[in-house]
């Protein structure tokens, strides 16, 4: 077993989830440089429509942006556990009291088919392992809308996601304090629309957390 582990570490060494540098002994998820230089998200008082709070690990720029793009579009699914560990730590810092339910902003069936996976579901599973929670699929996406990234105007982004989510039948939402996960938050339109649907279904509170957020 030790020989197998040694061979795996030799052939497939653990790398920094942001810059791809081979990690030194004792390092986990991030190299020393990225731990120091990554743009940590500090705007913890951000208020977004329909959300009771918002948390993120980093700002969406530099190596953080490159890493998440690889995760979403270039099959870097192995990044999910690292993202999950780092995001869970941030969530626990802000909300040590915990939540009733953990869920995520889902992609459309067509996008999941073409991509091969739902990257936010993978993130939710990783965060859930760290928090001791099982993610619950509260939402479904009922319309395949154009990507938000192609719409620079906030008003267009809000219109683009209006009505694209529905509550899954039979899900226990009423009176619950919900943690909603996403990979990236830019204007907050997508997370806000998902939160609106959850609140309309009777959720008591909806708090959002993402791996990264736009600086503005």
């Amino acid at each position: 077993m030790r020989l197998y582990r040694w061979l795996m570490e030799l052939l497939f060494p653990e790398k920094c989830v942001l810059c791809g540098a081979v990690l030194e002994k004792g390092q986990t998820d991030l190299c020393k440089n990225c731990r120091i230089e990554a743009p940590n998200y500090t705007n913890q008082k951000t208020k977004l429509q329909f959300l009771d709070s918002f948390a993120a690990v980093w700002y969406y720029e530099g190596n953080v942006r490159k890493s998440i793009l690889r995760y979403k579009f270039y099959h870097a699914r192995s990044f999910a556990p690292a993202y999950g560990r780092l995001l869970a730590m941030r969530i626990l810092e802000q909300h040590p009291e915990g939540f009733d339910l953990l869920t995520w902003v889902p992609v459309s069936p067509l996008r999941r088919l073409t991509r091969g996976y739902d990257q936010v579901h993978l993130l939710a599973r990783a965060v859930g392992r760290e928090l001791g929670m099982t993610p619950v699929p509260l939402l479904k996406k009922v319309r395949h809308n154009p990507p938000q990234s192609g719409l620079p105007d906030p008003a267009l982004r809000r219109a683009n996601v209006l009505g694209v989510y529905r509550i899954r039948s039979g899900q226990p939402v009423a009176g619950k304090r919900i943690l909603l996960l996403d990979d990236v938050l830019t204007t907050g339109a997508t997370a806000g629309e998902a939160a609106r649907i959850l609140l309309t279904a009777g959720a008591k509170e909806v708090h959002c957390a993402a791996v990264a957020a736009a600086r503005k």
Side-chain angles (χ1 to χ4, degrees):
M1 190 67 179
R2 289 181 180 178
L3 178 59
Y4 174 77
R5 188 179 298 115
W6 178 82
L7 285 172
M8 291 299 292
E9 290 175 355
L10 180 64
L11 295 173
F12 305 103
E14 291 190 24
K15 296 181 179 180
C16 175
V17 73
L18 295 186
C19 72
V22 174
L23 296 179
E24 298 177 5
K25 188 175 181 180
Q27 293 178 333
T28 304
D29 301 330
L30 298 173
C31 67
K32 181 179 179 181
N33 287 341
C34 286
R35 286 190 180 276
I36 296 171
E37 297 175 4
N40 288 317
Y41 184 81
T42 57
N43 193 11
Q44 304 299 349
K45 295 184 180 180
T46 296
K47 289 294 182 181
L48 298 168
Q49 192 175 27
F50 302 116
L51 294 171
D52 289 275
S53 73
F54 173 70
V57 182
W58 302 292
Y59 287 107
Y60 186 56
E61 57 194 40
N63 282 337
V64 173
R65 182 175 181 275
K66 293 176 183 177
S67 175
I68 292 175
L69 289 176
R70 289 196 299 271
Y71 175 60
K72 290 179 69 169
F73 302 114
Y74 297 97
H75 306 287
R77 286 177 278 190
S78 61
F79 290 4
Y83 290 157
R85 284 187 287 268
L86 294 162
L87 184 54
M89 285 190 288
R90 185 57 53 88
I91 292 166
L92 288 171
E93 287 173 4
Q94 287 190 225
H95 299 285
E97 70 279 8
F99 297 91
D100 298 319
L101 294 172
L102 169 64
T103 193
W104 68 95
V105 178
V107 299
S108 69
L110 178 59
R111 188 153 293 145
R112 180 167 184 166
L113 179 65
T114 56
R115 187 173 295 167
Y117 57 101
D118 180 338
Q119 77 279 357
V120 192
H121 184 200
L122 295 182
L123 175 66
R125 289 166 58 185
V127 170
R129 283 193 295 270
E130 302 299 319
L131 299 181
M133 301 179 70
T134 300
V136 181
L138 299 180
L139 298 165
K140 60 180 177 180
K141 196 168 187 179
V142 295
R143 178 163 58 85
H144 181 71
N145 58 322
Q148 291 287 81
S149 57
L151 302 171
D153 184 72
L156 290 176
R157 285 177 176 244
R158 288 192 294 272
N160 189 47
V161 296
L162 187 63
V164 302
Y165 301 110
R166 293 285 187 275
I167 290 288
R168 289 184 177 272
S169 61
Q171 294 297 347
V173 173
K176 302 297 184 179
R177 191 166 182 266
I178 297 173
L179 175 59
L180 174 71
L181 298 184
D182 205 350
D183 50 3
V184 178
L185 186 140
T186 48
T187 64
T190 300
E193 175 64 9
R196 184 184 72 82
I197 298 301
L198 292 169
L199 291 169
T200 301
K204 180 181 178 181
E205 299 175 9
V206 180
H207 301 259
C208 184
V211 178
R215 192 173 288 273
K216 293 184 180 180

